[in-house]
Amino acid sequence: MSSEKQEREPLFSAKNRKLLTNPLGVDNPITVQVLGICSALAVTAKLKPAFVMSLSVIAVIVFANLIISLMRNGIPPRIRIIVQLVVIASLVILVDQFLKAFVFDVSKQLSVFVGLIITNCIIMGRLEAFAMSNKPWPSVLDGIGNGIGYAWVLVAVGFVRELFGSGTIWGYAVIPESFYNIGYENNGFMILPPMALIIVGIIIWIQRSRNPELVEEN
Amino acid sequence: MQEIFNIFVKSIFVDNMVFAYFLGMCSYLAVSKTVNTSVGLGLAVIFVLGITVPVDYLLNDYILKPGALVWLDAGFADVDLSFLSFILFIAIIASMVQLVEMVVEKFSPALYSSLGIFLPLIAVNCAILGGSLFMQEREYQSLAQATSFGLGSGVGWFLAIVGIAAIREKIRYSNVPAPLRGLGITFIITGLMGIAFMSFLGIKL
């Protein structure tokens, strides 16, 4: 960010910094707000698709937040859902065409889940809760914050599942051959879909035992 | 006929929307606190999937597929509009949900008030859009197959949400570790249910 702007107007004031950092921890979209689990878990069997998916979601959420925030005074409240969906759908089409053009193999692996970014509740949720009532710059920060908050959970789950499930990271073997000779085996269970849920459950467990104020009643 | 039945059973158990693809997880986690509301939402999802998947099938078959516009003019044989499918599918879904909402409000006010906010929210339930996108990707051969896929996925989602709601009603009486209460334990139970559903994986239909 340009420094001369920062002198005129506190571009990263304490409030704005909070917008960026809160979603990483105490206000995480996946583990606390329970948004966007739909398309998150199915793509985490390997690190690479999880990473590409995270980047796509960050791109869509930042631009959707920006566009909706710029238009927020011109959108009639009754039809706002349709307007939001159209903006999101157009951005997702761009992302999909981009992925098909440059990383075709990952795009094939992600299959329908790129399209499902449209109905990813994180994006709708942030548009409704934040961009509709805030200025463009805080909305962009909110988008980046929530996108990264979503991304780290996805990448963490993808890392664990690929490491223990296939013994590789990003497709490179990291567990040395000698381990396999002693009798170490890849845990094929990690590749299967239910393990993603259990790993997220464990992440929630760790996070809440460190932040007791997040604990639910029942 | 047998093929249609196979698709129905397969989409309920083997390719279950929740346990195999994690679709519709947001409402699945948010609405599964009591059995009653989850039955209502589950029925609404079956209904909407049963309508939108066939409609999107026709749309895909006659407009979007590469070469689908041939019925208009032979010159359109190499037109490929499939990049428009996301935006058209979501438009169909949003308008269908609106339509269903108006019909239900007119003919069954009791059901309407019990569904409340959930009905409009179905428009952004990923299970619905996911149904249409899977239908497009798997290239079903006929309208009947697409319909049975839509209904089957809806029934699978219904079973999943009613099951988890029943478990959550009981688990209130158990001594779950405090940080795991609520969301955490629900995730883990869903994982365990998913493992149970994986026993259907080997079935060839």
Side-chain angles (χ1 to χ4, degrees):
Chain A
M1 297 300 126
S2 52
S3 56
E4 70 270 14
K5 252 188 185 169
Q6 209 167 355
E7 284 157 17
R8 262 196 294 117
E9 164 84 45
L11 211 52
F12 285 100
S13 59
K15 201 168 118 253
N16 282 351
R17 263 206 312 277
K18 246 199 165 93
L19 288 178
L20 207 54
T21 53
N22 261 1
L24 301 185
V26 292
D27 202 18
N28 189 280
I30 292 188
T31 61
V32 181
Q33 303 177 47
V34 209
L35 295 175
I37 301 161
C38 326
S39 52
L41 299 176
V43 300
T44 52
K46 290 259 160 54
L47 192 55
K48 197 173 173 192
F51 189 73
V52 172
M53 183 73 184
S54 312
L55 285 186
S56 319
V57 169
I58 293 177
V60 173
I61 193 173
V62 169
F63 284 107
N65 258 359
L66 175 67
I67 293 170
I68 290 291
S69 171
L70 286 171
M71 303 199 309
R72 71 185 187 283
N73 295 324
I75 302 175
R78 288 190 65 85
I79 58 159
R80 64 180 196 284
I81 303 259
I82 299 281
V83 175
Q84 290 165 358
L85 278 178
V86 169
V87 169
I88 300 171
S90 328
L91 287 168
V92 171
I93 290 176
L94 287 180
V95 167
D96 183 47
Q97 299 288 324
F98 184 86
L99 291 183
K100 274 192 185 133
F102 291 101
V103 277
F104 188 72
D105 53 327
V106 181
S107 160
K108 268 272 161 280
Q109 274 177 37
L110 292 175
S111 76
V112 301
F113 292 97
V114 180
L116 287 174
I117 296 176
I118 297 173
T119 48
N120 192 320
C121 343
I122 290 189
I123 296 172
M124 283 295 279
R126 291 328 292 172
L127 291 182
E128 273 289 294
F130 200 89
M132 285 298 286
S133 53
N134 282 283
K135 290 214 175 81
W137 174 242
S139 302
V140 168
L141 287 183
D142 182 75
I144 297 175
N146 278 285
I148 294 176
Y150 170 88
W152 81 253
V153 176
L154 226 68
V155 169
V157 176
F159 180 83
V160 172
R161 285 180 74 188
E162 185 171 354
L163 179 62
F164 292 107
S166 328
T168 58
I169 287 174
W170 202 268
Y172 298 105
V174 286
I175 294 189
E177 199 58 43
S178 53
F179 274 43
Y180 291 105
N181 295 338
I182 305 170
Y184 176 84
E185 293 239 9
N186 285 328
N187 186 349
F189 216 50
M190 280 290 184
I191 298 292
L192 301 174
M195 283 315 286
L197 286 164
I198 292 177
I199 292 171
V200 173
I202 293 170
I203 292 178
I204 292 173
W205 190 358
I206 296 170
Q207 194 191 17
R208 293 197 177 174
S209 55
R210 295 179 58 177
N211 271 335
E213 72 266 30
L214 294 177
V215 172
E216 287 171 55
E217 286 291 300
N218 139 33
Chain B
M1 192 59 219
Q2 203 195 342
E3 177 68 10
I4 291 166
F5 185 70
N6 284 350
I7 289 176
F8 185 70
V9 174
K10 198 161 175 264
S11 54
I12 295 179
F13 294 109
V14 184
D15 292 334
N16 187 287
M17 279 279 184
V18 173
F19 299 126
Y21 298 105
F22 308 109
L23 295 182
M25 287 298 279
C26 304
S27 30
Y28 171 86
L29 291 171
V31 185
S32 59
K33 288 205 173 108
T34 60
V35 172
N36 277 339
T37 49
S38 56
V39 168
L41 183 69
L43 289 177
V45 166
I46 298 179
F47 192 60
V48 174
L49 265 175
I51 295 176
T52 55
V53 172
V55 171
D56 283 344
Y57 174 82
L58 292 176
L59 189 73
N60 187 42
D61 217 37
Y62 287 105
I63 298 179
L64 296 173
K65 246 179 10 187
L69 285 171
V70 169
W71 59 275
L72 270 181
D73 185 285
F76 288 134
D78 48 0
V79 175
D80 178 4
L81 292 178
S82 52
F83 67 93
L84 284 177
S85 43
F86 294 157
I87 202 160
L88 283 180
F89 284 176
I90 198 75
I92 292 278
I93 288 167
S95 43
M96 278 298 153
V97 169
Q98 196 77 56
L99 207 67
V100 167
E101 195 183 348
M102 289 192 298
V103 170
V104 171
E105 191 181 6
K106 181 119 176 62
F107 292 106
S108 169
L111 179 63
Y112 180 76
S113 58
S114 72
L115 286 178
I117 181 74
F118 304 133
L119 210 48
L121 278 186
I122 288 180
V124 286
N125 185 331
C126 359
I128 311 286
L129 182 63
S132 290
L133 292 176
F134 274 125
M135 175 276 297
Q136 189 187 33
E137 192 182 77
R138 290 178 193 160
E139 294 171 350
Y140 287 115
Q141 302 301 320
S142 69
L143 185 61
Q145 288 187 7
T147 315
S148 84
F149 167 72
L151 287 174
S153 320
V155 173
W157 202 86
F158 173 85
L159 284 181
I161 193 170
V162 174
I164 192 86
I167 294 177
R168 282 180 82 172
E169 280 194 355
K170 289 283 174 216
I171 215 162
R172 216 163 289 158
Y173 306 108
S174 327
N175 189 13
V176 179
L180 209 53
R181 276 182 203 160
L183 191 58
I185 194 74
T186 312
F187 266 99
I188 291 178
I189 293 170
T190 311
L192 294 177
M193 286 169 78
I195 293 172
F197 261 70
M198 277 174 46
S199 55
F200 294 111
L201 267 185
I203 298 173
K204 281 271 181 296
L205 285 174

